[in-house]
Amino acid sequence: NRQIFKLGAKEEVSPKNIRISNITYNSFTVSWTTDGQTAGLVKYAESSGNLDKTKTEEGINPSYVHLVNLTGLKPQTGYFFKINSGESEFDNNGVNWQAQTTKETTQGEKVNLISGTVLLATGAPPQGSIVYTTVNGLLFSALTSKTGSWLMTLPGNIDEKNSLLEISVLAGPSGISSAQIYPQSAKPVPTMVLGQTYDFKNLPPNETSDIPKASLAIP
């Protein structure tokens, strides 16, 4: 991550660990952390000179972790953005950040859902954390809920047995955690406690999934 500097901006609201994830043909996610609890948003547009669209962050607010989902975008299109944190604007050393959406996918493409829970050493859930998963060179992210649980959508074409998932958790002052696991054993991922590193590669495949399912009865 490149260093960000803005004259007069407070260090506690300066965005750090800035990552672009969940890139699809019509959306991508911008996430970051701050040393202090604050609120943020993202200004974005197709043109670098006129960032006329805004999207506020999701989850607990104010927080040490921040995540903004930009949706309704055009396929195979570059987008520029700045981060507004604590009412101060930040860019990438004088230029806007940039991300590009992918080629439009076929309708009905399969997805792979994984889930898990993040807790403090006390057994309580953290007050906001971001879970990242890297697989096959792609980055995905999700916020934890108030109970510490999370749910993430991965591509449906990954190898359940051989595509290693690198999972990391950022929770501000509450700490970090990381794990390695294969998709077949990640439904759900065993509970991760902040401050710990886990190797779940030898876990057997999940026989049942705790991911909630819905059914629709047609009269």
Side-chain angles (χ1 to χ4, degrees), residues 116-128:
T117 302
V118 177
L119 297 175
L120 301 171
T122 61
Q127 290 189 354

Side-chain angles (χ1 to χ4, degrees), residues 103-175:
K103 182 179 179 180
E104 188 167 1
T105 57
T106 304
Q107 293 292 330
E109 183 178 3
K110 294 181 180 180
V111 297
N112 194 318
L113 297 178
I114 64 172
S115 63
T117 302
V118 177
L119 297 175
L120 301 171
T122 61
Q127 290 189 354
S129 60
I130 303 177
V131 180
Y132 294 100
T133 298
T134 302
V135 57
N136 297 339
L138 301 175
L139 181 65
F140 301 89
S141 64
L143 285 172
T144 55
S145 69
K146 293 181 179 180
T147 61
S149 62
W150 56 273
L151 179 67
M152 189 177 298
T153 303
L154 304 182
N157 59 357
I158 62 175
D159 189 329
E160 288 274 334
K161 296 181 179 179
N162 301 307
S163 295
L164 185 64
L165 306 181
E166 301 275 357
I167 300 177
S168 60
V169 183
L170 299 183
S174 297

Side-chain angles (χ1 to χ4, degrees), residues 1-4 15-20 31-33 83 91-93 97 132 139 170:
N1 296 308
R2 297 182 181 179
Q3 183 179 2
I4 303 170
K16 298 179 179 179
N17 301 307
I18 300 159
R19 301 180 186 181
I20 300 170
S31 59
W32 67 95
T33 64
I83 295 173
D91 56 28
N92 189 13
N93 291 327
W97 281 284
Y132 294 100
L139 181 65
L170 299 183

Side-chain angles (χ1 to χ4, degrees), residues 19-33:
R19 301 180 186 181
I20 300 170
S21 58
N22 302 331
I23 300 176
T24 71
Y25 71 94
N26 65 355
S27 64
F28 63 88
T29 299
V30 181
S31 59
W32 67 95
T33 64

